Amino acid sequence: MASRSRWPSTRSVLRLFNLLPSYNLSPLLHTVRHNGTVAAAAEVPESRKSPIQILRTAAEVRSWRREQLTKGLTVGLVPTMGALHTGHMRLVQSSMRMNDATMVSIFVNPSQFAPTEDLASYPRDFDADIEQLAAQDGDNRQVDVVFAPHVEEMYPNGIPLHIAEQKGAFVTVHGLSEQLEGRIRPQFFRGVATVVSKLLNIVTPERVYFGQKDIQQTVVVKRLVQDLCYGSVVHVVPTSRDANGLALSSRNAYLTEQTRQDAAVIYKGLQNAVMVYRQNTSAEKIIEAVVSTITEKFDKEEIEYVCVNDKDTLEELETVHPLKGAIVSLAVRVPNKFGGKTRLIDNILL
Ligand code: AMP
């Protein structure tokens, strides 16, 4: 591996902390049993009176989809894991602009979490999500339908978190899933590609929306769609940020006020990467600029990686070709309000 990236000696992925409001947790903590293993998976609640139609099964979605087709209406799909924020809503707005009908899926996908990760404590607030989605846009339109399946609907044969125990059909996009985030989270993109395949098969949307915030995910999904001949067009929506530049993320809720402010250096570092690139196309110089900015507020050891990669192949670059550009991406472990660390990822295009 080229020496242009910065990797720490320890690459353990931090367990995040239990943030679930008591309101949501206890009645919903659900166990998935398979081959004697038990994976905790908190699920969305049954809808109370909802201002939006909520579908729970693939059969219901297919029936809704057939109706749209019969009426000649186009469908946009926005896949999410809930805990919605303005970044998610930008995707929703893009879909509403470009399609006759918009479906948002809310599903915390177990197969993309390693057993050591935060599946059970991933933030969930279904009612708040529905409220946001029900808010009408300037043209008095709202999201048409939410697909919020239970785990059994998406994984009818169970989904143990240990990959060695998983049986059945899974989807891997080889060559794009092993580097960057895939190095630290080896089963992450297999889980993402699998659940996105399921969603595309069930919904068959004209268009599907992903955020640039998770840029490797967009590269993986585009290749998935191309290689498995899905008919949906993938749209990538720019990253939404706090006023100080911090990329919005459901996990920012774990940060203290101070670290949330300090974390502004992450985007500042990425902007400095762009400035350096205007003078110098060496990946090493670009990475140095990012690292030196981030270390204004955080220890060097907390920077998991800063890498410069090709936009399509994710090949690690030593020099950026001005006609092709590149992705600068990074992960930093930032102190959180529980005395631990929260991983933040971000990127910028050169
Ligand atoms: P998640 O619920 O975290 O899986 O995210 C669902 C979708 O929203 C993914 O396509 C993300 O890339 C996208 N997303 C999350 N945060 C942001 C953000 N700050 N800006 C733009 N898109 C985002």
Side-chain angles (χ1 to χ4, degrees):
M1 123 130 204
S3 59
R4 297 291 173 244
S5 60
R6 186 186 183 288
W7 292 95
S9 49
T10 44
R11 298 195 192 97
S12 58
V13 178
L14 272 212
R15 269 191 75 94
L16 293 165
F17 291 79
N18 191 334
L19 256 204
L20 277 177
S22 52
Y23 161 73
N24 261 350
L25 180 62
S26 49
L28 307 169
L29 201 64
H30 170 80
T31 57
V32 183
R33 289 177 187 278
H34 181 69
N35 285 350
T37 60
V38 179
E43 289 201 62
V44 292
E46 291 308 322
S47 60
R48 299 163 185 89
K49 267 209 163 55
S50 169
I52 297 188
Q53 188 182 10
I54 297 172
L55 307 179
R56 297 284 181 186
T57 67
E60 285 169 353
V61 173
R62 289 203 164 99
S63 160
W64 175 85
R65 181 60 175 112
R66 260 194 309 276
E67 272 173 40
Q68 313 310 306
L69 209 56
T70 314
K71 293 181 201 158
L73 302 179
T74 57
V75 169
L77 170 67
V78 182
T80 80
M81 298 210 298
L84 302 180
H85 51 65
T86 309
H88 295 110
M89 295 311 293
R90 293 270 185 280
L91 273 61
V92 170
Q93 286 151 7
S94 294
S95 174
M96 286 171 66
R97 269 197 307 274
M98 297 170 74
N99 301 280
D100 298 313
T102 290
M103 170 181 281
V104 174
S105 62
I106 298 179
F107 180 63
V108 182
N109 173 37
S111 70
Q112 69 193 60
F113 288 79
T116 51
E117 292 177 12
D118 60 336
L119 172 62
S121 60
Y122 189 82
R124 292 165 171 84
D125 194 344
F126 192 67
D127 288 349
D129 290 347
I130 296 298
E131 216 168 281
Q132 284 190 70
L133 295 174
Q136 296 184 338
D137 67 7
D139 301 325
N140 292 335
R141 289 178 63 199
Q142 66 172 46
V143 165
D144 296 80
V145 66
V146 167
F147 179 38
H150 293 283
V151 172
E152 293 89 339
E153 185 68 17
M154 299 300 272
Y155 295 94
N157 296 304
I159 181 66
L161 298 188
H162 285 280
I163 214 163
E165 294 166 12
Q166 294 174 355
K167 295 194 171 64
F170 291 86
V171 182
T172 303
V173 179
H174 295 284
L176 298 175
S177 304
E178 302 82 8
Q179 57 277 70
L180 300 169
E181 283 299 291
R183 244 178 111 157
I184 287 153
R185 309 182 70 187
Q187 69 192 73
F188 180 70
F189 290 111
R190 174 178 178 272
V192 168
T194 300
V195 80
V196 170
S197 298
K198 288 170 187 268
L199 288 169
L200 293 179
N201 283 329
I202 295 169
V203 185
T204 63
E206 267 81 14
R207 302 178 187 87
V208 62
Y209 295 80
F210 292 89
Q212 189 195 320
K213 157 83 169 40
D214 300 285
I215 196 155
Q216 187 174 9
Q217 175 167 278
T218 67
V219 176
V220 167
V221 168
K222 279 184 191 162
R223 182 65 70 81
L224 168 79
V225 163
Q226 197 178 43
D227 284 359
L228 294 189
C229 310
Y230 286 107
S232 309
V233 176
V234 177
H235 286 267
V236 178
V237 177
T239 304
S240 297
R241 300 179 179 280
D242 266 345
N244 71 357
L246 175 65
L248 297 182
S249 161
S250 306
R251 286 170 171 138
N252 288 354
Y254 299 152
L255 305 182
T256 64
E257 204 36 60
Q258 186 62 50
T259 48
R260 209 176 167 125
Q261 280 176 28
D262 290 347
V265 290
I266 295 175
Y267 187 50
K268 209 172 126 201
L270 291 169
Q271 288 175 307
N272 285 342
V274 176
M275 306 250 282
V276 169
Y277 169 62
R278 289 191 186 130
Q279 321 288 331
N280 195 324
T281 56
S282 145
E284 195 171 357
K285 293 286 175 234
I286 292 165
I287 290 165
E288 264 172 33
V290 179
V291 171
S292 72
T293 312
I294 294 176
T295 50
E296 286 171 15
K297 294 287 180 189
F298 299 108
D299 292 344
K300 207 164 185 174
E301 291 63 43
E302 307 303 3
I303 303 176
E304 276 187 347
Y305 66 85
V306 180
C307 276
V308 178
N309 299 71
D310 182 88
K311 289 175 182 170
D312 301 315
T313 64
L314 297 184
E315 179 200 346
E316 211 169 300
L317 303 175
E318 297 203 359
T319 310
V320 182
H321 193 294
L323 290 179
K324 289 182 76 184
I327 302 166
V328 183
S329 62
L330 55 79
V332 185
R333 298 160 79 241
V334 168
N336 62 30
K337 52 169 104 157
F338 309 104
K341 301 277 168 67
T342 292
R343 278 186 92 238
L344 299 181
I345 61 170
D346 204 347
N347 66 83
I348 203 161
L349 295 176
L350 299 180

